Amino acid sequence: MQMLEKLSDALDKLAVFLGALILGGVFLLVMSGVVFRITGHNFSLSEELSRWGLVSICFIGSSAALKRKQHVGVNMLLQVLPLGIGKVCVAVSYLAVLTTVAFSAHYSLRAAMCAQGMVGDIVPVSMMYVKLSLPFGMAMMFVHLLYGLFSIPKGKTINSVLIGTQEEV
């Protein structure tokens, strides 16, 4: 359990770092594209690369949001149930989300591998690398979900085990 927690924490830091790095790159690309357009030069790379960056931020950043319990959740019903029943319901929801994430990761990895021969419209880079951000983000989410699932039994309140609620301090 402790190894899973350390892995989850490390992947969270990695996701935040990559998200910040990609966001900085997207910002520089978009701003340079604006400057080049104003000066009458065409910088067509900025549009495609910034689109790829935004897609990557979505899928990698969502794993950090999951780890930090910042995803949207409607937990009103679970918060009024007795703790034991609430934990069972949360465990079932974790298992459902784990199944969905595993299914999505599998098929998005297959789609990325199939895109190996495809290249971008403007940037001649394999689309496989762009599409790999989805299974990578899903794999990080899977680790966070496993850690959350195994943390349910030791949770003292329902808010401490919900996917979309941070415990109040």
Side-chain angles (χ1 to χ4, degrees), residues 60-124:
I60 293 171
S62 63
S63 72
L66 179 65
K67 168 70 176 174
R68 295 159 186 244
K69 297 187 173 197
Q70 294 175 335
H71 276 278
V72 174
V74 181
N75 302 311
M76 292 182 295
L77 177 63
L78 292 171
Q79 291 170 334
V80 297
L81 291 175
L83 183 60
I85 295 171
K87 283 184 176 184
V88 170
C89 292
V90 171
V92 168
S93 69
Y94 266 96
L95 290 172
V97 175
L98 271 166
T99 303
T100 303
V101 166
F103 180 81
S104 300
H106 172 74
Y107 284 102
S108 63
L109 181 61
R110 285 182 61 183
M113 292 299 124
C114 289
Q116 190 172 9
M118 296 169 53
V119 294
D121 295 333
I122 299 169
V123 182

Side-chain angles (χ1 to χ4, degrees), residues 13-35:
K13 289 178 184 174
L14 177 64
V16 170
F17 174 76
L18 287 175
L21 187 69
I22 295 168
L23 182 62
V26 167
F27 175 77
L28 291 175
L29 279 168
V30 170
M31 289 307 295
S32 62
V34 169
V35 170

